[in-house]
Amino acid sequence: MSLELSFIIFLLLRMAIAAAFVVTASIIAERSGPVIGALVATLPISAGPSYVFLALDHDAAFIAQGALASLPINGATIVLGLIYVVLAQRHGLAVSCGAAVAVWIVLASIIRMFDWSLTAGLAVNFVAFGICIPLLARYRHVKMPLVTRRWYDVPFRASLVATLVAIVVSTSGWVGPKISGIMALYPIVFTSMMVILHPRIGGPPTAAVLANSAWGLLGFGTAIAVMHVAVVQFGSAVGLCLALGTCVVWNLTLWWIGRRTMHKV
């Protein structure tokens, strides 16, 4: 088998694995309502497979450096969410999603210009979430209309994530760890939810899903920091497993707190 054919086959396999994660997560989210859906959406559905495949191709130093670039990008993602949520109350998909994505690209371009430390990345998340979470609180509670899934919804999301994985994996060798870390965290899941749900159920209900994702996204940022530290100390495999465990435990804790709050009310 030629080297080019082997690369294509393994790339397609990686894309298929990433797509399978999205299909599974999408089904769970759609059947569980906006709160659980938001928690599922903030699991490493797209970034996780990207980093796993990067770890197969590069050493621990590459992954650790990529995580440092991903950390401030997580702060840019919550800003994207806030902009969409506010604009979606009165505007259509093109304006709301377009403005949010445009701001994310601008912030990512600025982040790319600097060499980030763990402390600086955590500080960006602290400031971004400290501002955005209180502002998003008022948009979390909206009556959700019944969502009828269409045949292309899940394939659309799966294809977006598969494409992202293909770009990250195939270009990582020449763009380096910083750009790879930034691309791995492009908010594919959030964008796909905007594109699919906004025309169907309207802006405010779609915005409620993203608003409920804020605390889960904070846990995702924590997981990135854990991954960086663990990869440096113990290697890529342990670092990735600990990052995934951090996301799962964080979101399960949010779910448990939410259930207790509802029972008390």
Side-chain angles (χ1 to χ4, degrees), residues 20 36 50 58 87 89-90 98 104 123-124 135 141 150 153 157 164 176 185 196 203 232 238 240 242-244 246 253:
I36 300 300
S50 294
H58 302 280
L87 291 178
Q89 306 303 312
R90 297 190 176 184
W104 187 94
V124 167
L135 294 177
H141 305 291
R150 296 177 182 173
D153 288 354
R157 298 180 200 178
L164 176 65
L185 253 72
I196 291 172
V232 171
V238 174
L240 290 171
L242 288 176
L244 175 60
T246 300
T253 302

Side-chain angles (χ1 to χ4, degrees), residues 47 51 70-71 73-74 77 104 180-187 220 224:
Y51 263 108
S70 293
L71 191 54
I73 286 294
N74 191 60
T77 299
W104 187 94
S180 296
I182 291 173
M183 291 192 301
L185 253 72
Y186 177 79
F220 182 69
I224 296 171

Side-chain angles (χ1 to χ4, degrees), residues 51-95:
Y51 263 108
V52 168
F53 298 138
L54 285 174
L56 293 175
D57 295 334
H58 302 280
D59 59 13
F62 187 101
I63 302 303
Q65 191 173 350
L68 288 179
S70 293
L71 191 54
I73 286 294
N74 191 60
T77 299
I78 191 62
V79 175
L80 170 144
L82 176 64
I83 290 173
Y84 170 79
V85 167
V86 172
L87 291 178
Q89 306 303 312
R90 297 190 176 184
H91 299 281
L93 172 64
V95 172

